[in-house]
Amino acid sequence: MPATDYQGSSPSFSGVGRSALSMRRDQVHSMDSPQYSPSRVLELETFQRQVADRFHDLSSVGQDDLLSLPWIRKLLDVFLCCQEDFRSVIFNSGGLVNKSPLDRLISEYFERSVKALDVCNAIRDGIEQIRQWEKQLEIVLCALDTQRSLGEGQFRRAKKALIDLAIGMLDEKESNAVLSRRNRSFGRSNAQKDHKVSGHFRSLSWSVSRTWSAARQLQAIGNNLLPPKPNEVTATNGLAVAVFIMNSVLLFVMWALVAAIPCQDRGIQLHFNLPRQYIWAVPILSLHERILDESKRRDRRNSCGLTREILQIEKCARHMNELTDSVQFPLSEEMEGDVKKRVDELRKVSEALKEGLDPLERQVREVFHTIVRCRTESLDSYGRGSHHA
């Protein structure tokens, strides 16, 4: 994700402004021993409460809005807010940040966040893949959304776009199996053609290698992620809990993105080891359970992504396929009415994708650059701390 691609904050996040913790940064930092001050305790409690409130807000949506493009954008807003508050907490930690065990805990967090950069790149690739599907929807709309009488040529064009869309939406293993069956049925020339079509949808300038696995990357991010031990909490004056919170938020957000957006090997069976006595853990675990339940629905089991708009693409394409298979010419008034109804449904899905994908991609970029920036600041801080020590 090149730095020149960065477009700045998304509109919904820029309006948030500095968090309550950020606004108090200068006041707390000016104290002689901020890690022992009442303000330190209050700041940590505020951080936990804000994380809990934000995820309660995310979990309050109905099932129809869960994993929609607007909801995913809101999830990324939450991550950015939590990251900024976490940055403020660490900035105000004084000399503790360069002492054991806090230095190790923070270093482990940034190692996990670096692994999340690959997930961000893979998600951007998935967004681009959805754009290719949207182009196929546009072909169908151009063919059938017309005031003129519809003929066989227009339906053939729409049917071809629907077939290309179906191939593009298959997971790679399923796609290979379907293409193999079609190759045996239609001969060598079609085999070459189908290979080109499949390659087009699965080779969209991927930012990660073809051997990269989203499931393995999530496991790497979550590896050895455990609640802090009592002696770690005591030694860090509670800051170990803040690091654990941010680790958990990072893991959940990356996991939700992989569940929602198409990417390579997107297995989502991941365990979250979050004690429920943490007030912020309850809404995260609730969302985790709801998303897993969504993945087990009959109409979602073989889906390449759980985003609501992907389900709408699948449903509209299936209805339109059934319609094009049953059409007879000349079209009756009833059939023309059915075509118009399906075209209207398809247009709404296409418009939702056009409105939602660009802002989502900008936010993914912002998450990427925020992680890089915080990592760089951390390395600079450690360098200064080691130099003075």
Side-chain angles (χ1 to χ4, degrees), residues 1 72 76 80 117 119-124 127 257 261 358-370:
M1 194 175 289
I72 297 171
L76 296 181
L80 291 168
L117 297 180
V119 177
C120 291
N121 279 329
I123 294 303
R124 280 192 64 200
I127 292 171
L257 286 174
I261 305 295
D358 285 350
L360 177 60
E361 183 179 20
R362 286 195 295 270
Q363 279 184 295
V364 174
R365 286 176 176 172
E366 184 174 3
V367 168
F368 182 98
H369 286 284
T370 296

Side-chain angles (χ1 to χ4, degrees), residues 279-298:
I279 57 174
W280 50 268
V282 175
I284 291 179
L285 290 172
S286 172
L287 284 169
H288 176 250
E289 183 178 351
R290 289 176 64 185
I291 293 172
L292 279 181
D293 289 343
E294 184 73 11
S295 71
K296 296 173 185 177
R297 282 175 44 185
R298 179 177 298 180

Side-chain angles (χ1 to χ4, degrees), residues 24-36:
R24 293 172 49 246
R25 177 185 298 165
D26 295 339
Q27 297 175 356
V28 177
H29 187 60
S30 64
M31 296 185 178
D32 293 333
S33 301
Q35 61 265 38
Y36 300 110

Side-chain angles (χ1 to χ4, degrees), residues 222 224-227 244 248 251 270-276 278 280-281 285 288:
N224 295 323
L225 178 53
L226 299 171
F244 179 63
S248 302
L251 178 60
L270 186 69
H271 177 66
F272 281 80
N273 185 23
L274 303 181
R276 288 184 175 271
Y278 291 123
W280 50 268
L285 290 172
H288 176 250

Side-chain angles (χ1 to χ4, degrees), residues 60-61 66 79 95 99-100 110 125 134-135 138 146-147 155 182 201 217 236 243 246 267 274 314 324 339:
S60 66
V61 301
L66 183 69
F79 174 81
K99 295 180 181 178
S100 180
F110 283 115
D125 294 334
E134 198 275 326
K135 290 180 181 178
E138 286 186 5
T146 176
Q147 300 297 323
F155 275 91
R182 291 180 62 186
F201 280 103
Q217 198 75 357
T236 62
V243 179
M246 203 60 222
L274 303 181
E314 293 171 342
T324 56
V339 171

Side-chain angles (χ1 to χ4, degrees), residues 123-139:
I123 294 303
R124 280 192 64 200
D125 294 334
I127 292 171
E128 180 59 29
Q129 194 172 15
I130 298 174
R131 282 200 183 97
Q132 300 303 314
W133 303 344
E134 198 275 326
K135 290 180 181 178
Q136 299 301 320
L137 296 183
E138 286 186 5
I139 293 174

Side-chain angles (χ1 to χ4, degrees), residues 167-299:
I167 293 173
M169 295 188 73
L170 290 173
D171 283 339
E172 187 156 340
K173 292 180 181 179
E174 295 176 350
S175 180
N176 289 338
V178 170
L179 293 177
S180 176
R181 291 196 295 271
R182 291 180 62 186
N183 294 343
R184 290 195 297 269
S185 301
F186 296 105
R188 192 183 189 104
S189 62
N190 279 343
Q192 295 172 347
K193 181 180 178 181
D194 287 338
H195 177 75
K196 291 179 181 178
V197 172
S198 176
H200 170 70
F201 280 103
R202 295 201 304 273
S203 302
L204 299 167
S205 301
W206 293 102
S207 300
V208 292
S209 71
R210 291 184 65 84
T211 59
W212 185 84
S213 165
R216 289 197 300 269
Q217 198 75 357
L218 289 174
Q219 289 172 356
I221 295 173
N223 189 37
N224 295 323
L225 178 53
L226 299 171
K229 299 174 183 177
N231 63 311
E232 292 175 330
V233 176
T234 302
T236 62
N237 289 285
L239 289 168
V241 176
V243 179
F244 179 63
I245 292 173
M246 203 60 222
N247 273 316
S248 302
V249 169
L250 175 73
L251 178 60
F252 176 80
V253 170
M254 294 301 122
W255 174 82
L257 286 174
V258 168
I261 305 295
C263 54
Q264 293 172 203
D265 188 24
R266 48 175 289 278
I268 61 173
Q269 298 302 320
L270 186 69
H271 177 66
F272 281 80
N273 185 23
L274 303 181
R276 288 184 175 271
Q277 62 262 34
Y278 291 123
I279 57 174
W280 50 268
V282 175
I284 291 179
L285 290 172
S286 172
L287 284 169
H288 176 250
E289 183 178 351
R290 289 176 64 185
I291 293 172
L292 279 181
D293 289 343
E294 184 73 11
S295 71
K296 296 173 185 177
R297 282 175 44 185
R298 179 177 298 180
D299 57 347

